[in-house]
Amino acid sequence: MKYDLVVIGAGPGGYVCALRAAQLGLKVAVVEKKKAGGTCLNVGCIPSKALLDSTEIFSEISPGNEHGIEVSKANINWSTLQSRREKIVTQLTGGVEFLLKKAKVDYYQGFADVKSCYTVVVGRNNLATKNVVLATGSTPVEIPFLPFDGEHVISSTEALNQFNIPKSLIVVGGGYIGLEMASVYSRIGTHVTVIEMMDRIVPLMDTDISKQLQKSLRKQGIKFKTSTKVTDCKKTKNKIILNLEKNKKTSTQEADQVLVAVGRRPNAGGINLNALGVTMDERGFVSVNQNMETSIPGIYAIGDLVPGPMLAHKASEEGVVVAERIAGKQTTLDYSLIPSVVYTHPEGASIGRTADELKKANVEFKTGMFPFSASGRAMAIGCTEGFVKVLADSKTDKVLGVHILGPKASELISEAAMVMGFCGTAEDIGVFIHAHPTLSEALKEAALEASGHGAIHT
Ligand code: FAD
Ligand code: NAD
């Protein structure tokens, strides 16, 4: 059979690409070696949020909560919580298979090998195609002297799926996975220590988000060791002991389990890319042009396999761009407008450039900040930690970056994305009527401050 497009990998990059291509009338096949939904649905975004949301409810209804909900003792049933996580994942991955079937996309279960830009081999099937999209995703990075054993040294996959609760956990890496999983385990009683080699957690986010989030998480019981390197490890029967180094001083830290969350690397191996002559960068990411096409015409690559933030929504948008490009449309993607969110409590969310990046680029900008402690809705919710920060061009008032730490920051950031997508100004956000009482009023107030009108409630 001749396909217009064969997509390798059914994660948020691959399956969205296949659905969009089918919508545009192309004959499409998807090949997946594990389960539909990829990392995101099976062992990433969705299961982590299921555990985060359940444990957040647990921590809110614990005795002494400020809402006056009286409970003598709230207990966590970790295995019920895990079963709920499994059920959500099964429902969603089944949903992806259903959508592909409904769109008449042929689904092949198996490992795909790209024999040429016109042939993809899956077991005994040779799929002849005009175009190939590589969407094979990524895998957790291992620290050489601390290899994953699935029991004492684990990756996010085991941290999400395990039915036992460690008494103590060291998390190596204070990035997205590290902080989200540290939150889950600390809320259910595990003693958690996060080791981060940089001088602040989530080092790519706004510095005020890093500082205030660390303070909030410390109050929740998570311990932090920043500017600290893990240099070696020793295993005893039930414990792992890590050797640490900070400012040339050494120390040790022991725990039942170590979660290594120091980033992910692209899955570029095993699919014949070198033999085909597909160019990769020094870190193993597949190089692509603005059409997401690799060095071999007709072979495209998207998602975690290519440079850029490793985020599900970025992978999906790239999938749409490729599908539309193959169908003859001139779609492009604005990489400066990809929001990123860390789903801690409070949540951190960012879009556009940070103050540090703007200073480095010699861009003159104005800052408007508004604290959630002055928001009526944040008080009603019971989470007044954090702020909204709006950065706007000094001359034109164009919004250059929005950085939020606070309740539902993940939802609030979409308003900023919309305004920035239309090249809007801080004044644009400030003059629109926002419903009262909502958290979004904090964004309006910060924007009024940045635009020079001045926030009303400060
Ligand atoms: P993947 O989702 O990794 O999918 C690739 C698919 O390709 C896999 O199913 C794999 O089995 C398949 N495959 C690989 N090789 C072959 C082959 N040769 N043949 C056939 N099939 C193959 N991002 C967010 O935006 N928000 C979040 O909240 C978030 N949370 C996360 C939490 C965790 C714990 C993790 C690990 C990641 C999280 N991410 C999050 C990142 C997100 O999961 C990834 O960015 C996203 O899944 C990348 O999509 P993708 O389609 O490129 O690859
Ligand atoms: P990350 O890049 O977010 O964080 C890794 C952290 O580990 C960084 O802060 C880094 O400085 C630190 N680090 C690196 N090597 C270290 C070492 N040897 N010792 C101590 N610290 C070290 O990576 P991650 O948390 O593993 O997540 C992987 C990817 O998955 C991310 O790129 C992210 O985009 C994606 N993800 C996103 C979300 C989300 O959107 N909410 C959630 C989870 C994962």
Side-chain angles (χ1 to χ4, degrees):
M1 176 177 295
K2 182 101 178 159
Y3 288 104
D4 293 311
L5 170 63
V6 173
V7 181
I8 303 180
Y15 87 75
V16 170
C17 177
L19 288 175
R20 183 66 186 132
Q23 230 172 29
L24 293 169
L26 304 184
K27 180 71 191 145
V28 187
V30 170
V31 189
E32 171 55 57
K33 65 175 180 180
K34 289 185 186 160
K35 280 165 86 181
T39 303
C40 174
L41 267 59
N42 291 287
V43 289
C45 326
I46 297 298
S48 58
K49 268 75 247 176
L51 296 184
L52 279 159
D53 286 334
S54 296
T55 53
E56 192 172 333
I57 294 170
F58 173 62
S59 56
E60 276 177 14
I61 62 163
S62 293
N65 65 74
E66 60 166 306
H67 295 279
I69 301 166
E70 292 180 6
V71 283
S72 51
K73 188 173 185 309
N75 290 315
I76 194 105
N77 186 329
W78 183 238
S79 73
T80 308
L81 215 119
Q82 283 289 19
S83 304
R84 176 178 179 272
R85 189 247 328 137
E86 276 176 347
K87 208 168 135 196
I88 295 168
V89 167
T90 307
Q91 198 174 335
L92 284 172
T93 53
V96 169
E97 285 178 20
F98 169 78
L99 288 173
L100 291 170
K101 203 170 172 183
K102 194 171 141 221
K104 299 198 171 20
V105 172
D106 290 344
Y107 188 83
Y108 292 87
Q109 182 72 52
F111 186 91
D113 198 4
V114 192
K115 278 284 171 257
S116 72
C117 51
Y118 304 116
T119 318
V120 173
V121 178
V122 194
R124 288 185 187 163
N125 294 305
N126 279 350
L127 313 181
T129 182
K130 291 181 193 156
N131 300 284
V132 176
V133 170
L134 308 170
T136 53
S138 63
T139 310
V141 166
E142 229 172 21
I143 295 180
F145 56 82
L146 202 55
F148 298 123
D149 63 17
E151 201 182 340
H152 298 295
V153 183
I154 60 170
S155 72
S156 53
T157 301
E158 292 79 29
L160 290 168
N161 294 341
Q162 66 183 356
F163 275 73
N164 62 310
I165 302 176
K167 280 204 175 70
S168 53
L169 175 72
I170 298 173
V171 176
V172 184
Y176 291 81
I177 293 178
L179 298 183
E180 291 182 2
M181 296 320 297
S183 298
V184 166
Y185 280 96
S186 133
R187 288 170 193 169
I188 59 172
T190 300
H191 295 284
V192 181
T193 306
V194 175
I195 315 272
E196 167 58 52
M197 71 175 184
M198 304 299 278
D199 60 358
R200 61 187 176 101
I201 59 170
V202 274
L204 295 181
M205 279 190 145
D206 171 85
T207 42
D208 289 322
I209 291 187
S210 293
K211 275 188 218 152
Q212 286 207 30
L213 181 57
Q214 187 171 335
K215 240 192 226 168
S216 300
L217 294 176
R218 206 185 288 131
K219 268 201 277 172
Q220 291 165 36
I222 300 173
K223 295 195 170 73
F224 288 94
K225 293 192 174 181
T226 50
S227 305
T228 302
K229 266 203 305 204
V230 182
T231 53
D232 207 353
C233 101
K234 200 168 82 189
K235 279 188 199 177
T236 63
K237 198 170 165 228
N238 298 315
K239 296 271 180 208
I240 294 268
I241 304 159
L242 298 188
N243 287 353
L244 308 177
E245 194 183 301
K246 178 174 181 158
N247 300 331
K248 294 193 179 146
K249 281 194 188 135
T250 57
S251 62
T252 57
Q253 175 88 34
E254 72 167 45
D256 294 346
Q257 239 179 8
V258 178
L259 162 63
V260 177
V262 295
R264 294 174 65 85
R265 61 178 169 75
N267 288 332
I271 38 176
N272 211 26
L273 298 187
N274 281 328
L276 287 168
V278 171
T279 306
M280 286 176 261
D281 69 15
E282 65 289 349
R283 294 183 304 150
F285 290 93
V286 172
S287 306
V288 286
N289 63 19
Q290 61 173 15
N291 300 336
M292 311 307 304
E293 198 165 22
T294 67
S295 51
I296 306 296
I299 301 186
Y300 299 79
I302 57 173
D304 283 6
L305 185 61
V306 301
M310 289 178 149
L311 296 170
H313 42 282
K314 177 254 190 190
S316 296
E317 290 304 324
E318 288 179 338
V320 169
V321 169
V322 170
E324 295 191 354
R325 283 263 164 190
I326 293 172
K329 293 177 180 282
Q330 297 299 305
T331 320
T332 52
L333 180 61
D334 185 349
Y335 281 92
S336 69
L337 293 180
I338 299 175
S340 59
V341 177
V342 58
Y343 293 82
T344 43
H345 181 82
E347 293 178 343
S350 280
I351 187 162
R353 287 188 280 176
T354 61
D356 288 344
E357 285 167 346
L358 291 170
K359 277 179 208 155
K360 215 169 163 187
N362 289 324
V363 177
E364 285 184 25
F365 64 97
K366 314 171 282 179
T367 305
M369 281 195 62
F370 191 80
F372 279 107
S373 55
S375 153
R377 189 59 197 273
M379 282 181 210
I381 291 170
C383 179
T384 51
E385 288 169 297
F387 57 86
V388 178
K389 186 191 276 189
V390 173
L391 308 175
D393 187 283
S394 293
K395 289 193 190 83
T396 64
D397 196 39
K398 185 180 169 194
V399 180
L400 302 173
V402 175
H403 307 280
I404 307 174
L405 180 74
K408 300 286 174 219
S410 55
E411 304 292 341
L412 296 176
I413 203 71
S414 295
E415 180 182 343
M418 178 85 84
V419 172
M420 290 173 76
F422 285 118
C423 300
T425 61
E427 188 178 41
D428 288 333
I429 302 178
V431 298
F432 272 111
I433 301 173
H434 290 65
H436 177 74
T438 58
L439 297 167
S440 68
E441 289 170 303
L443 177 57
K444 176 185 167 85
E445 294 268 21
L448 282 172
E449 189 68 23
S451 70
H453 284 263
I456 302 291
H457 292 90
T458 50

